Each structure stands twice: as structure tokens, then as C-alpha cells.
Amino acid sequence: MMTSGDRVARVRLSSVRLPLDAPVSDAKVLTGRQRPMTEIAFLFAEIVSEQGHEGMGFAYSKRAGGPGQYAHAKEIANDLVGEDPNDIARLWDKLCWAGASVGRSGLAVQAIAALDLALWDMKARRAALPLAKLLGAHRDSVRCYNTSGGFLHTPVEQALENATAALERGIGGVKIKVGQPDTRADLARVRAVREHLGDHVPLMVDANQQWDRPTAARMGRALEEHGLVWIEEPLDAYDHAGHAALAAALDTPIATGEMLTSVAEHAELIRARGADVLQPDAPRIGGITPFLRLAALAGHERLQLAPHFAMEVHLHLAAAYPLEPWVEHFEWLEPLFEERMEIRDGRMLVPERPGLGLTLSERAAGWTAERFETP
């Protein structure tokens, strides 16, 4: 096999715990299925080649699973040493088969995601190109909407202030959480935000999988008057038939996909026509390599794309998608990096820095619980 002449020299892994400013609650907390979120666990991978090229990537877990991702990555990281770092698709398959006995989705591929992102970051840095340009960008900026200001632990009055602040910052749309046990409270919340924003501002809602089919149908009809961009995760993430029925019955688009953890799971959702807006998460499905496979499937079906969370990565991937996408604004990850995403006129600008354009901050080092380096 022809090689570039370069080889992976070593891999460094870090387990990082990012504390949140305040406990965060969505509908899963209000229905008693989860506890409020107080931190996010990150798995960082830094890869260095024999020729001195470097790349950095990460995966993450909310509430549980972070130590498992880190442990799995430690087991497979040495399989990259000595390999040509440019052969990313082949290396993804190699890492996947190394841990295939525990599956080819979920935690097993999420550990691979950090390594895969690092390899793509290195490849784009080596080419002196932003990742979006390496992939083939369709645009230099992407529509963005804010989610972090509209969680259910936030009183309605504060959510309205947060929405105003997001728009003043240049963010283009606002998403708020719904899915409370009392659906009347949800309707009042959406009505208050819509009246506050006016009809011209893009507004989305997210039920975080907490409605059953009858409730989702009733709520979907009741919400039609508000001209929502989409209703997100109205049903269990794996209820593809239920999502498809809603998508067929409502004028408001149905968005889902963030909780799926492989390309195969997304393919089933697409086959069932369960989403008008697909919301894959690159770290959750195994990295950029599988995301590109999924984006090809979604593009073939002419689906809208709105990747979940991790705007620092998804901005590049959304910019390379042929149809006009959305990217989700969360400021939560900002303390981990030296750089900031630039937002203007409702859009997030693709950075001109090579690769992902990210550098780990000194604060991230302070939140590091464990480190590992290949021999």
C-alpha cells in the first residue's frame, strides 16, 4: 500500500470533567428519568506523527459513560501507532473491529470518535485548510440557533431575557425545551416566547423524547399556530414509526436523531421517513468518518440537517452539507478552548484557522482527571 511517508508516533488521551455553571434540567428530569446535569465528561485525544504533525479531537458523555469511553480508548489507541495518519477511513474500520465484541455503536464507537476527529484535524492542519474546506465547503457560514438559554430549569421570564441576549449576540434563532408533565405549561411557555420574539424569529421546541404518541399528536396540532421551524424529539428516539406518522400528519417539521449512536441506526430512521430534519451528533456516532457516510445518505433523501451540540465540530460538517443546514449554539464548551466561534447576522462563520481551529485551554488542563499516552 502506498503511504505518505508519515506514521503515527504517539497518542495522548485525557479524561476531562467540565463543570456547568448551574444544574441543567430538561423534560427527562421533570419526568423523573434523569437527574439534573452538573458536568460533562470529555475524552480528548491528541495524535502526533513522526513528521511532527498534530491533531486534536474529542468525544463526550452527559451524566454517565465518560469513564467507559476513556477506558475503551486506552485499549485501542495503540492500534494507531505506526499507521499512516492519512488513511482515516481504513483506520476507523481497524479501531472499530478492535472493539467489535462490545458492539459497533454506542460507547465503543464514541471512544473512536475522539481519535477520528484528531486524525481529521491533523489532515486538515497538514493541508493548511479549515476542515470545512478540506471536506469541500458549500458555504462560509451556517445558520445558528441557541438552545442553552431555554432549558426547563430556567423560569419563563429568564428564558425571554436569554432569547433577547442571543439575538443581540447575532444568533439567528431560539430553541426552548418542552415536555413537562403539564402540557398546559408547555403551551403557555411557547406562547410567551413566540409573543416575545414576534413572528419573524425562527423558533424551535424540544420535548426530549417525553411525549407518548397521543400527546405528541395533540401537542403537534396545538403548536402549529406558532410557525415553528421544527418539533424536536417528540417521541422515544427509536420510535421511528411514531415520528413518521407525526411527520406525515403535521405541517411543522419533525426533527430527531441526536440520541442515535451509529450510521446504521440513522439509516433505519431515514428508511422509515421518521425525520424531516436529521440531527446526527458526530461524537456520538463515531466521528467525522461515519458522519460523512450519513450525510451522503441524508443528502440523497434531501433531508434538512441540524447536527446536535458540539458546534465547534459541527460547524465544519454543516458547512460541507449541500442543503442549507442549521448548527446548534451552546456556549458550554467555550472554557475548554482558547478560540471562540464568530457569529454575525444570524450565522456562525467557519473559522479560517487550519483543521478544527481549536486549541485546548489551560482551564481544560485543570479539569483533567486522568491522562494516558501510548508507549
Side-chain angles (χ1 to χ4, degrees), residues 162-183:
N162 294 344
T164 297
L167 298 179
E168 289 176 348
R169 183 176 174 179
I171 295 170
V174 172
K175 187 173 80 180
I176 64 169
K177 299 290 186 173
V178 292
Q180 302 174 84
D182 184 354
T183 56

Side-chain angles (χ1 to χ4, degrees), residues 1 5 16 25 54 65 68 72 81 90 99 108 110 113 131 144 146 209 227-228 255 291 334 339 347:
M1 178 185 296
V16 176
S25 296
E54 298 184 11
H72 191 71
V81 175
R90 180 179 65 81
Q110 289 161 11
L131 177 63
C144 65
N146 176 261
Q209 310 178 73
L228 302 176
F291 189 100
E334 289 182 346
E339 298 81 9
R347 304 180 71 87

Side-chain angles (χ1 to χ4, degrees), residues 142 310-320 327 341 348-351:
V142 179
M311 63 186 183
E312 291 82 358
V313 173
H314 290 133
L315 173 59
H316 292 272
L317 302 179
V327 68
M341 301 295 103
M348 192 175 295
L349 279 59
V350 176

Side-chain angles (χ1 to χ4, degrees), residues 15 80 130 154 161 170 174 226 231 293 336 373-375:
S15 175
L80 289 179
T154 307
E161 293 181 15
V174 172
H226 297 298
I231 299 172
R293 297 169 184 165
L336 294 170
E373 185 166 332
T374 54

Side-chain angles (χ1 to χ4, degrees), residues 92-319:
W92 195 95
D93 288 346
K94 179 181 181 180
L95 295 174
C96 186
W97 281 106
S101 64
V102 292
R104 286 184 277 175
S105 64
L107 185 149
V109 299
Q110 289 161 11
I112 296 172
L115 300 164
D116 183 79
L117 264 66
L119 289 169
W120 278 104
D121 184 46
M122 179 189 291
K123 193 168 193 173
R125 289 191 196 187
R126 186 172 189 162
L129 291 172
L131 177 63
K133 291 291 186 182
L134 181 74
L135 298 176
H138 286 267
R139 57 195 65 82
D140 294 326
S141 65
V142 179
R143 295 180 296 182
C144 65
Y145 67 95
N146 176 261
T147 293
S148 54
F151 275 80
L152 289 176
H153 67 276
T154 307
V156 174
E157 295 77 13
Q158 183 62 53
L160 300 181
E161 293 181 15
N162 294 344
T164 297
L167 298 179
E168 289 176 348
R169 183 176 174 179
I171 295 170
V174 172
K175 187 173 80 180
I176 64 169
K177 299 290 186 173
V178 292
Q180 302 174 84
D182 184 354
T183 56
R184 293 170 300 180
D186 279 340
L187 293 174
R189 190 178 183 88
V190 176
R191 188 177 301 110
V193 175
R194 174 49 86 197
E195 290 176 355
H196 178 75
L197 295 176
D199 294 335
H200 64 290
V201 175
L203 175 63
M204 305 83 162
V205 302
D206 182 359
N208 286 110
Q209 310 178 73
Q210 296 309 294
W211 290 333
D212 56 23
R213 289 186 181 186
T215 303
R218 287 195 297 268
M219 290 296 288
R221 290 192 294 269
L223 291 168
E224 292 273 40
E225 65 175 291
H226 297 298
L228 302 176
V229 179
W230 66 64
I231 299 172
E232 184 171 330
E233 285 196 319
L235 302 168
D236 184 277
Y238 292 92
D239 185 2
H240 302 335
H243 280 109
L246 282 176
L250 299 175
D251 291 335
T252 305
I254 297 299
T256 190
E258 69 178 65
M259 297 304 299
L260 305 183
T261 61
S262 69
V263 175
E265 291 176 3
H266 278 277
E268 288 298 316
L269 174 65
I270 293 171
R271 189 174 297 113
R273 300 186 182 278
D276 300 300
V277 184
L278 201 64
Q279 297 183 299
D281 184 317
R284 280 186 177 164
I285 64 172
I288 293 168
T289 298
F291 189 100
L292 296 177
R293 297 169 184 165
L294 174 57
L297 291 176
H300 179 71
E301 295 296 329
R302 311 299 294 174
L303 291 175
Q304 296 180 60
L305 190 74
H308 167 255
F309 201 56
M311 63 186 183
E312 291 82 358
V313 173
H314 290 133
L315 173 59
H316 292 272
L317 302 179

